Each structure stands twice: as C-alpha cells, then as structure tokens.
Amino acid sequence: FNIKNSLDAIASHISRTGYVNDVRIGEPTSPPDAVDKMHAAIYMTSASVAELTLSTTIELHVVTVRLYRRAAFGQGDDAGQVEAEMALALSQISSNLIGEFDLGGSLRAIDIGGQYGAGYSATWGYITLGSTVYRTIDITVPLIVDDSATQAA
C-alpha cells in the first residue's frame, strides 16, 4: 500500500485551498501556536484491498481530515462566529475535494457515494489539546487507489 501518497495528496490539496492556517499529517498531541486560526490534521483511518485481479489491486484508503479551531463557549457572537467559520471551511474544502475527484491523477477517485464502504462524510465534535478545547470537524475521505500494493508469488 502506498499510504504516504494518499496522505500527501490530501495534505497538498488542503494546503492549496487556503482555508486553513496549518496542515499537518498526523494527529496533534499539543495545541497549535495560533489557537484562533483554523488548522487541519490528516491521518489514516484504514486501508484495505477492495478488489483483486491477477495482476493488480484496487485499494480503499480511508483518510480523516480533522479541521479544528479553538472553541467559543457561552453566548454571543464568538460561538456563532466559530460555527460559521467551521461550516464555511467544511463547505469549501468539500467542494474542492469533490470537484477535484482524482486529486490531480494521483489516485482513481474519492469514493463520494461509498461504492466500497462508507462514503464521504463529516462529523462535528470537540477535542482538548493541552488545556484548550477545540471545535472539530472530522471529514472522512475514502480514496479509491489503483495498484499501489505489491503482489508477490
């Protein structure tokens, strides 16, 4: 499995969109320097062979893109502003990923509808890094990848 290629393709694409301040491969264990900016962490969820022929594989690489920004609690404009900023970033990144479909030819396709399993989706939540609570959106990006596994007899 050429997992690094899948992670790099998503990271490169999200970096180019300009909707996040910082894009990192791997799940963060400490808060980012700029807590009031949008950040993205990209990490693998799973990898499997979806189909096998005599000479090639078709793989499913499921990548999680976690968008995160310092949460605003209480009432007022701050909480609404964080939600609006997160919603806009999700909308724009999703539109760009879905519109790019094969991420510039580095893989067959983003499995939007879930041909080989769960489709493209987003789940909202919260995480704590250090002592800071972040609002998160975990975007599940299933990637159909042709022939990156090595077969040996």
Side-chain angles (χ1 to χ4, degrees):
F1 295 108
N2 189 352
I3 304 258
K4 185 177 182 328
N5 185 58
S6 294
L7 292 170
D8 288 344
I10 294 286
S12 175
H13 187 78
I14 295 210
S15 292
R16 286 193 312 268
T17 65
Y19 297 109
V20 296
N21 187 60
D22 181 39
V23 177
R24 295 183 185 197
I25 294 177
E27 194 168 4
T29 56
S30 60
D33 294 334
V35 295
D36 289 326
K37 303 284 185 182
M38 184 82 61
H39 300 274
I42 299 165
Y43 52 92
M44 286 301 294
T45 303
S46 66
S48 61
V49 174
E51 290 185 34
L52 180 64
T53 69
L54 291 175
S55 59
T56 64
T57 60
I58 298 171
E59 299 152 34
L60 180 64
H61 297 181
V62 181
V63 175
T64 296
V65 176
R66 175 170 284 164
L67 301 178
Y68 60 107
R69 186 193 185 289
R70 184 185 55 81
F73 292 103
Q75 301 189 11
D77 292 335
D78 286 349
Q81 181 180 342
V82 168
E83 289 297 303
E85 183 181 337
M86 299 287 289
L88 178 62
L90 173 62
S91 176
Q92 296 299 323
I93 288 171
S94 294
S95 292
N96 288 342
L97 284 171
I98 291 168
E100 186 64 28
F101 198 64
D102 66 357
L103 298 179
S106 61
L107 47 94
R108 182 197 292 183
I110 296 174
D111 193 7
I112 304 298
Q115 177 182 355
Y116 290 106
Y120 187 94
S121 66
T123 304
W124 296 67
Y126 294 91
I127 61 167
T128 301
L129 293 173
S131 60
T132 305
V133 177
Y134 290 87
R135 185 68 164 133
T136 63
I137 303 173
D138 286 349
I139 307 169
T140 301
V141 185
L143 305 171
I144 301 171
V145 180
D146 286 328
D147 204 22
S148 82
T150 303
Q151 297 183 48

